[in-house]
Amino acid sequence: MINLKDLTYDELKIFLENMGEKAFRAGQIFKWLHSGVASFDEMTDISKELRGRLAENAYIGSLKPLKKLVSADGTIKILWELSDGEAVESVVMEYKHGNCVCVSTQVGCHMGCRFCASTIGGKVRDLTAGEILDEVIFSGKITGKKISNIVLMGIGEPLDNYDNVIKFLKNIGDKRGINIGYRHISLSTCGIVPNIYRLADEKLPITLSVSLHAGTNETRDKIMPVNKAYDINELIKACRYYLEKNGRRISFEYAMIEGINDSEKEAGLLSALLTGMLCHVNLIPVNSIKERNLKRSSESAIYKFKNYLEKRGLTVTIRRELGSDISASCGQLRRQCTQ
Ligand code: SAH
């Protein structure tokens, strides 16, 4: 059976036409699905007869909350059970400009970044477009907050689940559904270069965040295996292409790890790499995960690094840490909810 939330509006229309229904039903049903109804019977402007036939041919996916943790700073982490018993986490953060949900895109991750908890245990499977959509719908419902921003920065590599992620983006930005503007959506990638090019050509003007974490191939090779497939120069070239196509400033994420990537030499090479590019560098003091013995750079080293880059004309911020007391910060999400 098919989960109707896995379909785009156009696919839903074809599905209904194949059932002998009029195309306008697609608009009604799409709206209901995205509002988070649990059953076809809640679709009150649809005939009972059609509701019955829909239930025979399809189902409405949902997520079951297994655990909800609330941080002292108001950040909320939710562990969801998926229909096959697997689990992923989402995080809801409050900002001045609105509430933001950080969604997972895969059950686990096989990118192998040395500093990240999500990759421990590898990847089990991709999430479907409907499952990612449900993280947004049910995060809003369970927290009672209106979600206005989305970041694809949870568990998994979004560009390693390309088709489902694109379908999700099309659905979430669809005016007939939840309709979150692409300017309010960021996607983070560890650097799957061919899919950065594909994304650039999709004309979905979302913000691209790139997990860079190094200024040289030598350093990046040590902490991010993906760099052996697509090196820094290829990655930056793809970013420039994205920028050219979408005009959106690229955000580079840089986890500061003591003795690994926080030297002045690294800062020098990083600034040379990014100079002249419309971008922003986000320094993240690396979050500790118990399986790895990586230390966060000292505050003075982080400020020194920041000043160095700023002197060379780059825009740099230090990421405000949210939810670390409930292990909801960058790189701390897992397939089970631990504190
Ligand atoms: N796979 C995508 C999406 C994950 S986003 C990506 O790599 O971009 C999560 C962000 O947190 C990424 O920038 C990731 O590199 C970063 N991150 C992972 N582990 C971290 C840690 N221990 N401390 C700080 N940031 C971390």
Side-chain angles (χ1 to χ4, degrees):
M1 272 230 268
I2 187 162
N3 175 6
L4 291 189
K5 283 177 176 163
D6 282 336
L7 304 184
T8 60
Y9 173 81
D10 289 338
E11 289 170 340
L12 182 64
K13 206 164 86 179
I14 294 167
F15 177 84
L16 291 164
E17 280 167 357
N18 287 341
M19 283 176 69
E21 289 299 321
K22 295 251 165 27
F24 79 90
R25 292 275 174 229
Q28 291 173 307
I29 295 172
F30 192 80
K31 198 163 182 188
W32 282 117
L33 291 168
H34 290 223
S35 74
V37 292
S39 81
F40 293 110
D41 283 336
E42 290 177 48
M43 301 183 174
T44 46
D45 54 2
I46 305 287
S47 73
K48 212 169 170 192
E49 184 269 337
L50 175 55
R51 282 187 255 148
R53 282 198 299 129
L54 283 170
E56 279 164 27
N57 291 295
Y59 70 98
I60 304 173
S62 71
L63 298 176
K64 187 172 147 201
L66 289 177
K67 213 165 171 182
K68 185 176 125 186
L69 294 175
V70 183
S71 157
D73 63 33
T75 299
I76 302 171
K77 180 167 83 165
I78 310 131
L79 178 75
W80 306 108
E81 185 180 10
L82 307 169
S83 55
D84 60 355
E86 293 296 340
V88 291
E89 294 181 314
S90 313
V91 179
V92 179
M93 294 158 285
E94 251 177 58
Y95 290 101
K96 272 194 235 91
H97 58 268
N99 299 308
C100 177
V101 61
C102 173
V103 295
S104 295
T105 53
Q106 295 180 314
V107 179
C109 182
H110 67 175
M111 292 297 128
C113 299
R114 293 281 307 138
F115 40 79
C116 186
S118 301
T119 201
I120 294 165
K123 180 181 94 171
V124 179
R125 69 169 173 87
D126 289 332
L127 292 189
T128 69
E131 287 171 327
I132 307 171
L133 177 74
D134 271 341
E135 290 184 70
V136 179
I137 295 175
F138 291 106
S139 290
K141 277 190 186 284
I142 197 176
T143 59
K145 292 177 195 285
K146 183 171 166 39
I147 304 292
S148 53
N149 294 68
I150 300 173
V151 293
L152 287 81
M153 297 191 185
I155 301 166
E157 168 49 48
L159 296 188
D160 184 46
N161 181 14
Y162 190 84
D163 294 340
N164 290 324
V165 163
I166 295 297
K167 199 182 250 198
F168 159 73
L169 290 172
K170 287 187 175 155
N171 278 347
I172 200 80
D174 193 312
K175 293 205 168 41
R176 293 156 290 210
I178 298 175
N179 189 16
I180 293 188
Y182 291 120
R183 286 173 194 286
H184 299 279
I185 302 177
S186 296
L187 178 150
S188 183
T189 179
C190 64
I192 315 270
V193 165
N195 287 346
I196 295 178
Y197 285 103
R198 284 172 79 192
L199 184 67
D201 291 333
E202 297 278 357
K203 297 212 164 56
L204 302 169
I206 56 174
T207 299
L208 184 67
S209 288
V210 175
S211 300
L212 193 56
H213 306 313
T216 60
N217 282 321
E218 194 194 347
T219 305
R220 202 162 189 265
D221 276 346
K222 280 190 209 144
I223 52 178
M224 298 181 73
V226 69
N227 200 61
K228 299 210 170 97
Y230 310 108
D231 77 11
I232 284 202
N233 300 319
E234 288 176 74
L235 176 57
I236 298 299
K237 209 169 134 199
C239 292
R240 289 188 194 277
Y241 181 81
Y242 190 89
L243 190 58
E244 202 180 289
K245 285 277 160 168
N246 290 284
R248 309 270 299 147
R249 180 171 86 153
I250 310 269
S251 176
F252 288 104
E253 286 147 274
Y254 199 103
M256 299 288 297
I257 315 170
E258 187 174 273
I260 304 279
N261 62 0
D262 60 352
S263 67
E264 190 168 307
K265 181 180 161 218
E266 202 77 21
L269 292 162
L270 177 67
S271 57
L273 201 62
L274 303 183
T275 296
M277 185 172 183
L278 183 62
C279 69
H280 166 255
V281 179
N282 200 207
L283 301 177
I284 318 167
V286 77
N287 294 304
S288 63
I289 53 168
K290 63 176 187 296
E291 294 85 350
R292 305 270 192 261
N293 150 37
L294 295 172
K295 258 182 82 184
R296 103 180 0 186
S297 307
S298 68
E299 202 169 314
S300 67
I302 295 175
Y303 278 96
K304 214 169 130 196
F305 202 87
K306 179 172 185 273
N307 288 337
Y308 189 100
L309 298 180
E310 283 175 339
K311 275 207 193 107
R312 277 149 192 86
L314 290 167
T315 310
V316 188
T317 48
I318 298 175
R319 183 172 289 179
R320 191 157 63 96
E321 187 175 67
L322 289 176
S324 60
D325 55 340
I326 54 165
S327 289
S329 299
C330 302
Q332 294 186 312
L333 301 187
R334 297 168 186 262
R335 281 145 47 201
Q336 78 261 29
C337 226
T338 48
Q339 201 149 356

